[in-house]
């Protein structure tokens, strides 16, 4: 079923992927701050939090293309790709993710992962999402081309973090962590420019310490 859905997605949609790289300093600093306070979190949780808040202003990406109609959604029903044993992959949804705090978002993601391993996900959770995130940050993959979770019109891939040389304000070279981002979108529903604007906004949100204040 999973394989058939992937093939169907590639055959029936016009998929295009934009790649970007964001300064991850604010992500790393926020994680360290939360960890010191006893509130455990992960880079994935923080990235999800930033993406959700960006999606609120980009409803054309938070949408589904069904029967020739683009159905944009104000609530963010965020799907999280979860790898399972035997090379299986599911992407259940966290409903109304825009209303959750960071700790609530983390708890919801962990709950989905636990129930995915015991086949306890509902049909609504498996089919009701509006946008998907796929995380390969624990691998050596920096960028990739995630396959659309149709009928959703967009999916964001998170790659690994790497340190890159950057000039500071004094002109000196400093090594700064960066995270790879890959946005696949359905070109039937979203043009390249709006997709690029969304990906740019995601980068800016990830780079802002105010996002995680």
């Amino acid at each position: 079923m999973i394989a058939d859905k992937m093939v169907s997605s590639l055959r029936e949609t016009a998929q295009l992927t934009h790649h970007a790289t964001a300064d991850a300093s604010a992500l790393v600093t926020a994680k360290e701050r939360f960890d010191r306070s006893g509130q455990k979190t992960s880079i994935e949780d923080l990235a999800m939090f930033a993406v959700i808040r960006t999606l609120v202003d980009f409803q054309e990406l938070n949408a589904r293309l069904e029967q020739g109609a683009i159905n944009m959604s104000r609530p963010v029903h965020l799907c999280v790709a979860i790898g399972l044993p035997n090379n299986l992959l599911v992407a259940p949804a966290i409903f109304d993710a825009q209303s959750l705090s960071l700790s609530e978002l983390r708890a919801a993601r962990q709950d989905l992962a636990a129930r995915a391993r015991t086949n306890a996900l509902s049909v609504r959770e498996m089919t009701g999402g509006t946008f998907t995130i796929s995380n390969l940050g624990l691998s050596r993959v920096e960028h990739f081309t995630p396959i659309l979770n149709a009928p959703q019109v967009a999916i964001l891939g998170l790659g690994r973090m790497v340190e890159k040389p950057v000039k500071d304000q004094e002109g000196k070279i400093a090594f700064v962590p960066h995270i790879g981002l890959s946005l696949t979108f359905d070109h039937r529903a979203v043009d390249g420019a709006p997709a690029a604007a969304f990906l740019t906004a995601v980068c800016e949100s990830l780079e802002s310490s105010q996002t995680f204040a």
Side-chain angles (χ1 to χ4, degrees):
M1 288 172 57
I2 295 170
D4 287 346
K5 184 176 181 180
M6 288 182 175
V7 172
S8 175
S9 174
L10 287 169
R11 182 177 59 244
E12 297 176 5
T13 62
Q15 301 196 23
L16 178 64
T17 303
H18 285 343
H19 300 292
T21 302
D23 185 330
S25 300
L27 276 173
V28 173
T29 300
K31 183 183 186 312
E32 292 173 347
R33 175 167 53 84
F34 283 117
D35 288 348
R36 285 196 302 270
S37 70
Q39 182 181 338
K40 297 293 291 184
T41 190
S42 68
I43 294 297
E44 180 179 13
D45 296 324
L46 292 164
M48 287 167 51
F49 189 79
V51 170
I52 290 164
R53 272 136 191 82
T54 306
L55 276 171
V56 171
D57 296 324
F58 288 85
Q59 290 185 37
E60 62 267 43
L61 276 297
N62 187 44
R64 297 161 64 98
L65 180 54
E66 300 170 289
Q67 298 179 340
I70 301 171
N71 300 309
M72 292 183 288
S73 175
R74 189 172 298 276
V76 179
H77 304 319
L78 183 73
C79 290
V80 183
I82 300 170
L84 298 175
N86 300 317
N87 201 33
L88 297 179
L89 180 71
V90 294
I94 300 172
F95 293 103
D96 295 303
Q98 81 288 346
S99 66
L100 301 180
S101 66
L102 178 61
S103 59
E104 290 170 335
L105 185 65
R106 176 177 174 82
R109 178 182 64 79
Q110 292 178 324
D111 173 66
L112 285 181
R115 289 191 291 113
R117 290 190 289 270
T118 58
N119 297 319
L121 297 169
S122 69
V123 173
R124 180 169 179 260
E125 286 172 323
M126 292 296 293
T127 61
T130 58
F131 187 91
T132 297
I133 286 182
S134 180
N135 179 29
L136 290 181
L138 297 180
S139 73
R140 297 188 68 171
V141 174
E142 296 181 36
H143 294 94
F144 58 108
T145 52
I147 298 174
L148 282 176
N149 186 12
Q152 296 171 27
V153 304
I155 178 173
L156 181 68
L158 304 178
R160 69 176 294 210
M161 284 200 302
V162 296
E163 290 197 343
K164 297 189 175 184
V166 176
K167 280 188 177 181
D168 62 19
Q169 293 181 345
E170 298 177 354
K172 298 179 180 179
I173 298 297
F175 283 87
V176 177
H178 284 73
I179 186 171
L181 304 171
S182 302
L183 176 72
T184 296
F185 57 97
D186 191 338
H187 216 320
R188 299 176 303 163
V190 183
D191 286 338
F198 168 71
L199 189 54
T200 298
V202 169
C203 290
E204 292 171 349
S205 181
L206 291 171
E207 291 170 346
S208 172
S209 59
Q210 294 302 311
T211 303
F212 315 108

